[in-house]
Amino acid sequence: MKATWEAVVNIRDAAASARTETISENAQWFEDNSPIDPRFKKKTVKGISAKVIDATTLGGDCYPSTPIGINLPNADWIRKEHGSKSVTIANITHAYNLSAEEAPKSTTSEFAWDEQEIAMIKKYSAYTDELHTDLHECLGHGSGQLLAGVSSNALGEYSSALEEARADLFALYYMGDPKMVELKLLPDAEAYKAQYLTYIRNGMQVQFARVEQGRPNTEAHMQNRKLISEWCYEKGLADNVIEKKERDGKTYFVVNDYEKLRGLFGELLAEIQRIKSEGDYAAGKALIEKYAIHIDPVLHKEVRERYASLGIRPYGGFVNPEIIPVIENGEVTDYRIEYPDDFLGQMLEYGEKYGVL
Ligand SMILES: [Zn+2]
């Protein structure tokens, strides 16, 4: 038998928690207005508890590479009867965004079509990314219900990717809803576009920088993003909703019609909710196999080369800050925070100090 553990020492993020409280307070409105078949909606959404924390120390499997949210329980029947709890780790997402912005070359500068896109992403995307995660964790996973008699294991090996897609689509659909501005969750009616743009670009190409050339796309979150992006690209072709462009031998994906894209997110959400609620294994399998797995080898090679030229790594990790007590006259009066940058050194020090075996 094999086991792992994860641990996060954290403090509550008061400002960000206020945002997820607003989302949770309105959970029933979101459920009632979602674009899915009424039979699959929860009559009463209960138990959605949202909390935003800042991690101060990561341990076990969270260190050095950490999740950005914790969302439990996994079992659908427990969620339905007792509700669920979501925790978002805000300072981790924030650090990812800031370090990406500070880099001389970024995926934004490489994969954005023009200056207007770059300006929009710089203005909104650090925030819209966080809001997307909140909606995904607080509402997306908790929304909808299975029809009586349908097993929560009905979708088998496709269930993780489809479940992530369902939560992402719920978030994406609502990002573009006027309710977001009304609830002051978004500053204006333009902000959501930054999220749509970066989501599609990531799902269509940027994320494949993480996949070895010649390998299929197998990780659940990455399959989900590819599924959503490719499906919307194909369904929107006639209206040119998402356009594949080329310049200097490089491929770009540009969103031309945000309203229609929102409509497509809603349509796919309705279908994936139907698949889950009815336990339609064959339809789930067909979606994943058609849209989520196969990466076009020519595009894959191009993405990997462009990503490599940026000199950034596809995954990030964190070295823990050292929190050092300031002692005066034998009493702790304050704490000083130091930010070491030597991961190996920190690991060895932990081993020496805390190794008990
Ligand atoms: Zn999720």
Side-chain angles (χ1 to χ4, degrees):
M1 205 154 88
K2 197 177 154 188
T4 64
W5 63 281
E6 295 186 343
V8 176
V9 181
N10 66 85
I11 47 175
R12 189 169 182 273
D13 186 320
S17 291
R19 185 174 72 223
T20 62
E21 271 158 32
T22 303
I23 293 172
S24 297
E25 278 162 18
N26 289 278
Q28 193 65 51
W29 184 90
F30 287 105
E31 185 76 1
D32 293 345
N33 288 279
S34 88
I36 63 170
D37 187 318
R39 290 179 304 140
F40 309 144
K41 291 185 186 182
K42 280 201 178 90
K43 301 286 168 282
T44 328
V45 186
K46 59 181 169 185
I48 293 180
S49 153
K51 190 177 160 188
V52 184
I53 58 172
D54 293 317
T56 61
T57 310
L58 308 167
D61 267 2
C62 293
Y63 169 77
S65 192
T66 167
I68 54 172
I70 303 160
N71 185 51
L72 292 166
N74 290 324
D76 271 308
W77 69 270
I78 305 178
R79 286 174 166 274
K80 193 166 174 237
E81 280 170 33
H82 302 283
S84 58
K85 177 155 184 155
S86 292
V87 176
T88 302
I89 311 175
N91 63 334
I92 299 293
T93 311
H94 201 66
Y96 278 134
N97 285 327
L98 287 184
S99 73
E101 267 171 39
E102 278 173 19
K105 288 196 246 172
S106 66
T107 52
T108 301
S109 63
E110 177 59 36
F111 292 94
W113 175 249
D114 58 21
E115 288 303 321
Q116 197 198 336
E117 272 189 16
I118 294 174
M120 187 155 75
I121 289 164
K122 282 205 168 138
K123 184 170 178 192
Y124 296 116
S125 124
Y127 177 75
T128 52
D129 214 34
E130 285 171 32
L131 181 62
H132 179 267
T133 306
D134 291 343
L135 292 168
H136 174 116
E137 300 288 353
C138 304
L139 300 177
H141 282 303
S143 72
Q145 66 176 0
L146 301 176
L147 290 185
V150 173
S151 159
S152 56
N153 299 321
L155 303 178
E157 68 273 38
Y158 304 104
S159 67
S160 294
L162 290 167
E163 178 55 19
E164 291 309 325
R166 200 177 68 85
D168 259 1
L169 285 162
F170 197 96
L172 288 165
Y173 177 78
Y174 276 118
M175 292 282 299
D177 197 293
K179 188 86 176 171
M180 287 290 127
V181 181
E182 195 188 300
L183 291 174
K184 298 193 170 61
L185 291 167
L186 283 179
D188 57 53
E190 291 293 295
Y192 80 97
K193 294 178 180 175
Q195 186 62 19
Y196 280 22
L197 196 65
T198 49
Y199 192 93
I200 293 295
R201 189 183 299 139
N202 194 30
M204 294 299 285
Q205 56 179 174
V206 180
Q207 64 168 350
F208 304 136
R210 296 174 173 190
V211 182
E212 249 176 78
Q213 185 71 41
R215 301 273 306 158
N217 190 38
T218 54
E219 197 277 325
H221 293 82
M222 294 177 65
Q223 286 191 333
N224 133 49
R225 292 181 206 121
K226 184 172 189 307
L227 161 64
I228 292 174
S229 306
E230 296 268 2
W231 189 93
C232 291
Y233 175 71
E234 186 191 285
K235 302 293 171 192
L237 269 180
D239 293 328
N240 206 20
V241 176
I242 301 166
E243 189 177 351
K244 186 177 178 179
K245 292 190 181 188
E246 255 186 62
R247 185 174 56 207
D248 306 329
K250 291 178 176 179
T251 311
Y252 297 85
F253 290 92
V254 179
V255 177
N256 289 323
D257 192 328
Y258 290 93
E259 262 306 303
K260 284 210 169 109
L261 180 56
R262 180 171 184 241
L264 291 170
F265 287 147
E267 263 177 55
L268 186 57
L269 173 59
E271 173 60 3
I272 292 183
Q273 183 62 57
R274 183 198 67 74
I275 289 171
K276 181 177 180 184
S277 293
E278 294 179 351
D280 188 343
Y281 177 85
K285 178 179 186 217
L287 271 185
I288 296 289
E289 286 188 346
K290 180 165 183 199
Y291 298 102
I293 296 171
H294 174 72
I295 307 171
D296 170 26
V298 179
L299 182 68
H300 195 178
K301 185 164 181 284
E302 180 197 316
V303 168
R304 286 180 57 85
E305 283 169 5
R306 286 167 71 183
Y307 199 94
S309 78
L310 302 176
I312 43 179
R313 295 284 173 264
Y315 287 98
F318 293 82
V319 179
N320 285 322
E322 301 286 349
I323 304 170
I324 300 156
V326 178
I327 299 169
E328 277 172 33
N329 303 326
E331 270 184 48
V332 176
T333 54
D334 200 359
Y335 291 91
R336 202 176 70 241
I337 298 176
E338 284 179 7
Y339 294 94
D341 56 8
D342 175 14
F343 175 67
L344 179 64
Q346 186 166 65
M347 285 292 255
L348 291 171
E349 193 191 324
Y350 284 168
E352 222 163 84
K353 271 189 182 162
Y354 310 115
V356 288
L357 295 177

